[in-house]
Amino acid sequence: MFGKTKFSNRETFVLIVLSVAAFVPMLWLALQSAARNWRFPLLFPAEFSGRAWEYLLDSSSGILPALFNSLIIALTVTFISIALAIPAARAVALHDFRGKNFLFFLMLMPILSPSVATAIGGHAFFLRYGLTDSWFGVMLIHLIPTLPYCLLTLASSFARFEVDLETQARTLGASTWQVWRYITLPSLAPAIAVSAVFAFLISWSQYLTTLLIGGGKIMTLPLVLISFQRGTDEAVTAALTLVFLVPAVLFLLISARFWKATK
Amino acid sequence: MNKFVLFAVLFLALLPACQKKGADAAQFTVQDFQNAKWKDVETKAQGTTVSFAMWGGDEARNRFMNTEAAVRLKDKYGITLNILPLGDTAEAVNKLLNEKQANKTGGGSIDMIWINGENFRTAKQANLLWASFAERLPNIRYYEADANKRDFGTLIDGLEAPWQKAQFVLAYDSARFYSPPRNIPALGDWIRNNPGRFTYIAPPDFTGSAFLRHILFHFGGGAKNFQEFDEQLYAEASAKTFAFLNEIKPFLWRKGETYPQSPKELDKLFANAEVDFAYNYGANFASERIKRGEYPPTVRTFVFDAGTISNYNYLTIPFNAANPAGALVVINYLMSPEYQIAQSRALGSVYPHKLDALTAEEKQLVSGLERGAATLSAEELAAHAVPEADSEYLERLEKDWREKVLLP
């Protein structure tokens, strides 16, 4: 992934420390999710029980459908964010027009203001237009925080983009699709991958917006997770947290393959 | 640029077209309800779906509602029960507040809510509730009359129907000591003699502030005096309460510099034997934790001699419920002995009905209900039950605690 460069000793050390720091909480969660009677001063649980995992897999708990809903929403939102952010970022980075800075500022507003305000204000607005309690509404409100991140990431990539390459390809007879596929996309790929991670993770972890706009009808994993987090059941909360982490980590790993520019 | 403006205008112009049509023709208004016989309500509810917003942090309860309760409702009334789990009931209330402001008066996504206390008061004051319905439910007759009067001091006016009973109990580990202190002065002595072994949950946590009210009751001559807000009584009793709390502060866990923020944190401290007492609403909470393997099996519960707070929690219908008829039928069913016996059997919850309203057969079933090893008997609980205080006391106590105990 990082080519042939070798790590220095110091880099290796930092890498190990970071991996351990990331891994230990996961291990703890895994133990907690299956533990019974795990109390101080026991280092490891005295007994194990599959209760929490059984509950998660039980059809009555509704957790698998919630996981599925979360995936559909996060993937769709990621796709739409990038599809919208690419032309917008291009316009902002490569063209000059009146009010550009102001427009750019407007586009970034959602991440500059507190997210609770966006959620509650958005709810009032969505209600007026009948967009609540629907899939469409939930995805739309997720786009509010995801779009600015995609836009920022892509705009910085477009700023370094050689438009001349596109012109050259076109002069050589490439179609619009070919230009996009062989010139634009490869040079943007790392930025697209990074913004996809942002969009996916942000949408994946939305709680308040999904709750308000989805009205509880659109059940996603964070809704289930938070309702358990506020309860006292440690095992189920730990198991759910792991379930919540896995797709996020997988998505991160997949996208990391594209972080290095293809030449 | 012109194209952009054009698209933006088009998009905004098209938005209202997405507006949902008002609720379907099969609506059931408050007037319909007032004119209908109960049988008509049941007929109307047949085959509908009811969305029930309830706090969803309890795996056993979620499982029970989604399986046994849902199946019974389907069999009896053809109703499909759809649970909307909430992290906090206040979220549903906030959603309704927004919907009220936006004038969304029908077709709401919530048909009924599990509610009580401050959330009920907010909802009632903001007119977020459907109508006065509780007195007309056939199964209201199983409940004590006072269950239907005040909820944390707020007049109920039939806007919510009693569902379950919860009583505040304290837990200790019988393997660590034999007899817990059963009144506030004795508890004070115990804390001074066992430095670092006691703490309480910081208000405004719901359970944390309930513990403080027991001290307030002690210094104000008992819970009976706190049913309606009295400024002078509050001033006197709260001054003594805060003096007591400040006096025990140096003997608390971590010298009172920090407090657990939720029952979950107190549970953890107690389970790890860092402190010697935990407490919660729900007489069976310790038995439940033992069953889940979180508390040692030697844990037992107790109540104060002067009594502990017992309250009801309720079911209500939002003003914009899409299916109020269905909600009425579900609520009435959840109040029935059939349901309550099944729930107590599955969750170990305390049976909420007055026993003389039951048939001989039902009485037998209720007396045969098993309770967990750590749960007190229904008689002992009932003999030590005191009502909730007016919620004004609650709010004042929470606010003043910050200034007078936490910060100085």
Side-chain angles (χ1 to χ4, degrees):
Chain A
M1 177 161 67
F2 293 96
K4 290 196 185 75
T5 18
K6 276 206 170 153
F7 294 120
S8 69
N9 283 343
R10 210 169 64 188
E11 280 169 337
T12 317
F13 176 73
V14 170
L15 208 62
I16 290 173
V17 169
L18 285 179
S19 319
V20 170
F23 182 68
V24 168
M26 297 260 224
L27 184 72
W28 184 85
L29 282 172
L31 285 174
Q32 181 75 73
S33 74
R36 265 183 73 82
N37 289 314
W38 190 15
R39 280 184 290 276
F40 181 81
L42 294 177
L43 199 54
F44 287 100
E47 296 165 61
F48 288 95
S49 130
R51 178 184 62 89
W53 290 101
E54 267 166 42
Y55 175 69
L56 257 56
L57 296 173
D58 193 312
S59 63
S60 76
S61 71
I63 286 167
L64 292 180
L67 176 69
F68 186 69
N69 290 352
S70 275
L71 274 177
I72 299 260
I73 291 174
L75 290 174
T76 316
V77 166
T78 306
F79 181 79
I80 300 176
S81 296
I82 291 174
L84 292 175
I86 288 177
R90 187 181 183 115
V92 169
L94 300 179
H95 299 277
D96 267 317
F97 50 87
R98 207 151 45 89
K100 175 174 130 176
N101 287 338
F102 180 67
L103 195 66
F104 195 49
F105 171 72
L106 270 188
M107 289 170 169
L108 297 184
M109 266 305 269
I111 53 174
L112 300 176
S113 57
S115 55
V116 177
T118 324
I120 292 179
H123 184 217
F125 184 80
F126 276 38
L127 272 170
R128 205 173 312 146
Y129 292 108
L131 292 164
T132 52
D133 307 333
S134 70
W135 286 83
F136 179 67
V138 169
M139 292 182 187
L140 204 59
I141 195 113
H142 284 193
L143 281 170
I144 294 175
T146 60
L147 255 178
Y149 284 104
C150 293
L151 188 68
L152 266 182
T153 324
L154 286 165
S156 71
S157 180
F158 265 116
R160 282 178 276 113
F161 181 66
E162 306 264 357
V163 193
D164 293 348
L165 284 176
E166 287 185 343
T167 326
Q168 280 169 22
R170 212 162 284 143
T171 333
L172 294 171
S175 68
T176 316
W177 164 248
Q178 282 170 324
V179 170
W180 162 250
R181 173 66 188 82
Y182 295 104
I183 308 292
T184 324
L185 186 62
S187 69
L188 285 182
I192 291 180
V194 171
S195 43
V197 171
F198 277 135
F200 184 86
L201 293 183
I202 292 167
S203 167
W204 183 250
S205 56
Q206 287 296 307
Y207 171 68
L208 192 61
T209 50
T210 316
L211 182 79
L212 285 173
I213 305 299
K217 284 234 151 115
I218 318 285
M219 195 43 67
T220 61
L221 213 50
L223 297 195
V224 186
L225 176 64
I226 302 264
S227 69
F228 271 100
Q229 231 165 25
R230 307 241 177 105
T232 56
D233 196 327
E234 298 279 347
V236 173
T237 312
L240 266 171
T241 310
L242 281 176
V243 171
F244 181 78
L245 276 173
V246 168
V249 171
L250 277 182
F251 194 84
L252 192 73
L253 289 179
I254 293 170
S255 89
R257 302 185 53 204
F258 298 95
W259 288 355
K260 203 169 152 62
T262 36
K263 288 276 152 64
Chain B
M1 187 64 194
N2 283 333
K3 259 191 211 160
F4 169 76
V5 173
L6 187 70
F7 273 119
V9 169
L10 261 178
F11 179 67
L12 286 174
L14 281 172
L15 268 179
C18 312
Q19 276 217 51
K20 271 195 229 109
K21 301 280 170 288
D24 56 343
Q27 243 189 14
F28 185 77
T29 63
V30 178
Q31 255 150 8
D32 291 339
F33 175 54
Q34 278 153 358
N35 300 329
K37 290 204 182 70
W38 182 249
K39 266 260 153 295
D40 305 337
V41 182
E42 287 186 344
T43 316
K44 186 90 197 164
Q46 189 79 35
T48 59
T49 295
V50 173
S51 294
F52 179 18
M54 58 172 247
W55 177 75
D58 180 353
E59 168 251 317
R61 177 179 293 277
N62 292 350
R63 196 197 286 258
F64 175 75
M65 292 306 296
N66 278 317
T67 53
E68 207 173 330
V71 168
R72 282 166 187 262
L73 279 164
K74 190 94 201 176
D75 288 350
K76 270 185 109 80
Y77 305 101
I79 290 177
T80 308
L81 185 68
N82 175 28
I83 303 285
L84 315 176
L86 299 171
D88 187 332
T89 309
E91 286 156 2
V93 175
N94 285 335
K95 176 178 147 73
L96 292 172
L97 272 172
N98 265 352
E99 290 178 351
K100 184 93 191 177
Q101 269 168 8
N103 221 0
K104 182 183 166 81
T105 52
S109 64
I110 301 175
D111 294 315
M112 54 188 277
I113 313 178
W114 180 17
I115 200 169
N116 79 343
E118 288 163 274
N119 287 318
F120 172 68
R121 194 168 75 141
T122 313
K124 185 186 173 190
Q125 281 173 350
N127 291 319
L128 303 179
L129 302 175
W130 185 64
S132 174
F133 68 90
E135 317 276 355
R136 288 210 49 210
L137 298 178
N139 288 338
I140 190 84
R141 67 194 175 90
Y142 292 109
Y143 288 82
E144 302 280 357
D146 67 324
N148 208 18
K149 271 192 202 118
R150 281 171 187 275
D151 176 359
F152 280 76
T154 306
L155 283 171
I156 290 172
D157 295 335
L159 291 167
E160 57 177 10
W163 186 27
Q164 309 170 108
K165 207 172 180 171
Q167 187 161 353
F168 186 94
V169 295
L170 299 98
Y172 70 105
D173 188 347
S174 62
R176 284 180 231 164
F177 52 88
Y178 184 64
S179 173
R182 289 171 190 275
N183 57 55
I184 299 298
L187 179 66
D189 291 341
W190 191 95
I191 294 167
R192 276 183 289 268
N193 294 330
N194 299 276
R197 302 298 298 167
F198 184 88
T199 189
Y200 58 93
I201 306 165
D205 177 85
F206 185 68
T207 314
S209 88
F211 174 73
L212 296 194
R213 289 199 291 286
H214 288 95
I215 306 175
L216 186 76
F217 290 170
H218 170 76
F219 289 113
K224 58 183 189 306
N225 297 341
F226 290 86
Q227 291 307 293
E228 266 163 69
F229 189 75
D230 175 348
E231 185 69 52
Q232 202 192 338
L233 175 66
Y234 174 75
E236 286 168 17
S238 73
K240 288 181 188 160
T241 301
F242 294 134
F244 174 84
L245 291 173
N246 280 320
E247 199 213 320
I248 61 169
K249 195 172 174 180
F251 303 98
L252 293 178
W253 173 74
R254 295 214 182 148
K255 300 191 166 61
E257 278 156 15
T258 178
Y259 297 85
Q261 302 297 313
S262 65
K264 192 180 189 160
E265 288 182 35
L266 182 63
D267 269 3
K268 204 133 214 156
L269 293 175
F270 177 68
N272 288 331
E274 283 195 70
V275 297
D276 283 327
F277 295 93
Y279 51 78
N280 215 319
Y281 274 107
N284 64 328
F285 91 95
S287 299
E288 208 175 80
R289 308 280 195 279
I290 295 174
K291 211 161 98 188
R292 285 209 301 251
E294 290 168 8
Y295 282 3
T298 43
V299 167
R300 294 294 175 267
T301 57
F302 69 100
V303 287
F304 291 130
D305 289 334
T308 53
I309 294 173
S310 157
N311 64 29
Y312 286 87
N313 43 70
Y314 297 82
L315 298 166
T316 191
I317 306 176
F319 71 101
N320 61 7
N323 180 14
L328 286 163
V329 173
V330 172
I331 291 175
N332 187 57
Y333 178 69
L334 296 188
M335 293 161 75
S336 68
E338 178 189 317
Y339 171 84
Q340 291 290 349
I341 290 168
Q343 181 185 278
S344 296
R345 201 175 280 149
L347 305 178
S349 27
V350 173
Y351 196 80
H353 294 155
K354 50 182 182 194
L355 296 180
D356 38 337
L358 302 177
T359 64
E361 196 195 345
E362 287 164 346
K363 261 186 218 162
Q364 208 177 358
L365 283 171
V366 170
S367 64
L369 286 170
E370 258 177 64
R371 59 193 160 86
T375 311
L376 299 172
S377 71
E379 293 76 28
E380 179 159 9
L381 287 168
H384 292 92
V386 301
E388 270 299 351
D390 187 290
S391 54
E392 178 89 29
Y393 286 111
L394 201 125
E395 280 165 26
R396 294 280 291 272
L397 204 58
E398 287 170 1
K399 199 173 120 268
D400 293 345
W401 178 83
R402 268 190 72 79
E403 284 168 27
K404 294 183 173 140
V405 181
L406 181 67
L407 299 177

